[in-house]
Amino acid sequence: MTGTLSGRFSAWNCRLAGLVVWLCIFLALAIPARAQVTFPGAEPIAGGQVAVRLQPMLTESTMGGQSYDGRTILQFGATPLLFLQAETGLPNSNSINDPATGGSRSQTATGIGDTTLVARYTVYHQDGIGTSFRIAPLVGVTTPTGMDDANGQAARALQPGTGNWGTRGGLVVQYLTLDTTTAAEIEYRANFPGAGYQFGNTFVANAGFHYKLWPSHFAPGKIDQFDLALETNYSIAGRDLGGGRTVPGTGRTLWLIDPGVMFMTPRWAIAALALLPIDEQVPHGGARFRYGAEMAFRFNFYTPHHF
Amino acid sequence: MILNICGFRAVCIAVALSAAPATHAALAGKGGREALAIVKGVTAPFSLYGLTESLRQIPGVDRVVFDMEHGIADITFKPGASATEAQIRQAIGNASFTPGKISWKSAAGGGQ
């Protein structure tokens, strides 16, 4: 009986997962999109434009798990179509109740996270008055610059750095109008073994819709904007390998929905989103995602020096 | 009178400018030439920053004001300064947007 229910539950999750993937593909192909918060967009970045993003994320999971990811992102428009990004965790901190002590003691690892370098190239854009449709593939590499032994007593998965080299490849499609932004992204992240451990590869599918709540119309020279945002993130993470064996409690499927708000000016922007789980599958012994919050602060600069 | 206007381009500019006549008249600079450039693809304030900064790199540009609703960059030059259409188009392209019709008028509001 339990097996039947489990099978039904699993089949239902598979249908949901399939629905999300197909929704993303549909959005990517049919509804081409403004800057998203929880995933990269394909918005225009001028050659010479520099943006600094501070994007702290706080999440809470079962087993007393708490995680703070203080992502700091530097973006540069190398050319009108080529966009470069460096991202690191400053700092990252993860903690969870130690199962070995029956949960009575907490383990925490705090330090600098890995650095990820990403290049995005706009391969197609069709612009109109107040509209833009853009397609941009992206590739990236994760360098093991983070601290993978910040706390020698804590589990490897808690460390702020992975100790793994990694690569990623993805595709972003965006359709932007003066009132709405629709975006979709799919991405695959592969990790390579390092320091005796290998984090599982991850497939990610994201979609987002932003709606301009204010102003109803832009007056010339008056261009501040307030958006309502709704984004969603679906990820399938493979199990970690440690010492040549799969690590218990690792690997999961997670689907989040992220309602929030964003305020933008030409020079800066601020956003806040809640991260709420819709569905999750975790192996026995794994912590379940409960909720989270993500904020984003962006500042624009410009340099005439670019390619 | 506006230079380089013919056919469909003339209609675009006429429609765009007639939609906001008072605002554009008010935005006219004092003493310098003024270019009105259609820019396609601008939808949000944050990406607009790169466009205005790119246009400001053109020598002699005094001020850039953008009308989001109509996609018009109002570029005012310092007295005695000017630029070519190619320079303006290049600046718009450098900002990752698509340039459209460009028209000129003098400080007094008349074309040349």
Side-chain angles (χ1 to χ4, degrees):
Chain A
M1 183 71 175
T2 306
T4 306
L5 282 175
S6 174
R8 284 179 185 168
F9 183 67
S10 190
W12 192 75
N13 280 336
C14 284
R15 282 193 210 104
L16 276 178
L19 182 65
V20 172
V21 171
W22 279 110
L23 177 64
C24 290
I25 293 172
F26 172 76
L27 286 170
L29 295 176
I31 309 177
R34 199 159 289 149
Q36 310 307 304
V37 179
T38 59
F39 63 96
E43 65 278 2
I45 301 287
Q49 187 172 342
V50 180
V52 176
R53 295 177 67 146
L54 305 175
Q55 201 153 328
M57 180 170 67
L58 189 65
T59 61
E60 184 153 327
S61 55
T62 56
M63 301 167 63
Q66 287 187 329
S67 180
Y68 175 81
D69 183 358
R71 271 184 293 169
T72 302
I73 303 168
L74 182 65
Q75 302 173 317
F76 175 60
T79 75
L81 300 176
L82 177 63
F83 163 87
L84 305 175
Q85 173 176 300
E87 173 183 332
T88 192
L90 284 175
N92 280 358
S93 182
N94 305 302
S95 64
I96 198 164
N97 292 339
D98 186 358
T101 65
S104 62
R105 188 178 297 172
S106 175
Q107 287 184 336
T108 301
T110 302
I112 298 171
D114 291 341
T115 299
T116 300
L117 306 172
V118 174
R120 185 197 81 192
Y121 190 82
T122 304
V123 293
Y124 177 81
H125 67 106
Q126 183 68 45
D127 296 332
I129 302 294
T131 65
S132 185
F133 171 54
R134 290 172 184 253
I135 300 175
L138 60 86
V139 294
V141 59
T142 298
T143 61
T145 54
M147 301 163 70
D148 58 46
D149 194 21
N151 179 354
Q153 305 297 316
R156 183 63 184 274
L158 285 183
Q159 306 296 336
T162 64
N164 290 176
W165 284 88
T167 57
R168 61 176 63 184
L171 181 72
V172 187
V173 179
Q174 243 182 343
Y175 179 66
L176 306 102
T177 72
L178 291 175
D179 294 323
T180 63
T181 295
T182 311
E185 187 223 8
I186 51 174
E187 191 174 321
Y188 188 77
R189 302 170 185 167
N191 298 310
F192 302 101
Y197 198 90
Q198 183 178 10
F199 282 81
N201 296 344
T202 306
F203 170 77
V204 179
N206 299 306
F209 180 76
H210 288 204
Y211 178 76
K212 176 168 68 80
L213 200 64
W214 175 89
S216 58
H217 297 286
F218 290 106
K222 302 291 184 187
I223 40 187
D224 299 345
Q225 176 173 329
F226 183 79
D227 278 6
L228 291 180
L230 184 64
E231 301 184 6
T232 185
N233 322 107
Y234 181 79
S235 63
I236 304 172
R239 302 190 74 170
D240 300 353
L241 293 173
R245 289 191 286 189
T246 57
V247 179
T250 61
R252 68 175 178 182
T253 300
L254 178 63
W255 181 17
L256 300 175
I257 189 164
D258 324 314
V261 292
M262 175 185 269
F263 181 77
M264 278 186 286
T265 76
R267 197 66 194 270
W268 59 271
I270 183 171
L273 281 82
L275 310 177
L276 307 173
I278 292 178
D279 184 49
E280 183 176 17
Q281 290 180 21
V282 292
H284 178 69
R288 299 185 72 87
F289 188 99
R290 293 181 63 194
Y291 54 84
E294 186 163 356
M295 295 194 71
F297 307 93
R298 297 190 296 171
F299 306 91
N300 257 332
F301 302 92
Y302 185 84
T303 171
H305 306 291
H306 57 86
F307 300 110
Chain B
M1 203 172 147
I2 299 174
L3 274 182
N4 299 325
I5 288 184
C6 60
F8 181 68
R9 287 178 164 188
V11 173
C12 289
I13 282 292
V15 168
L17 295 182
S18 65
T23 50
H24 282 285
L27 291 171
K30 293 180 178 179
R33 291 186 83 200
E34 188 178 344
L36 298 176
I38 300 284
V39 184
K40 298 176 183 174
V42 184
T43 61
F46 206 71
S47 51
L48 174 61
Y49 176 81
L51 172 68
T52 54
E53 289 302 315
S54 184
L55 288 168
R56 283 187 179 131
Q57 300 306 311
I58 300 172
V61 168
D62 185 34
R63 189 176 60 160
V64 178
V65 177
F66 195 77
D67 179 346
M68 295 275 286
E69 294 286 336
H70 302 98
I72 299 173
D74 190 323
I75 309 160
T76 305
F77 291 84
K78 294 171 183 171
S82 187
T84 63
E85 282 195 18
Q87 284 177 295
I88 295 173
R89 288 182 186 281
Q90 185 177 3
I92 294 169
N94 181 58
S96 197
F97 296 112
T98 304
K101 171 70 185 169
I102 298 172
S103 62
W104 295 88
K105 63 180 181 179
S106 65
Q112 293 181 29

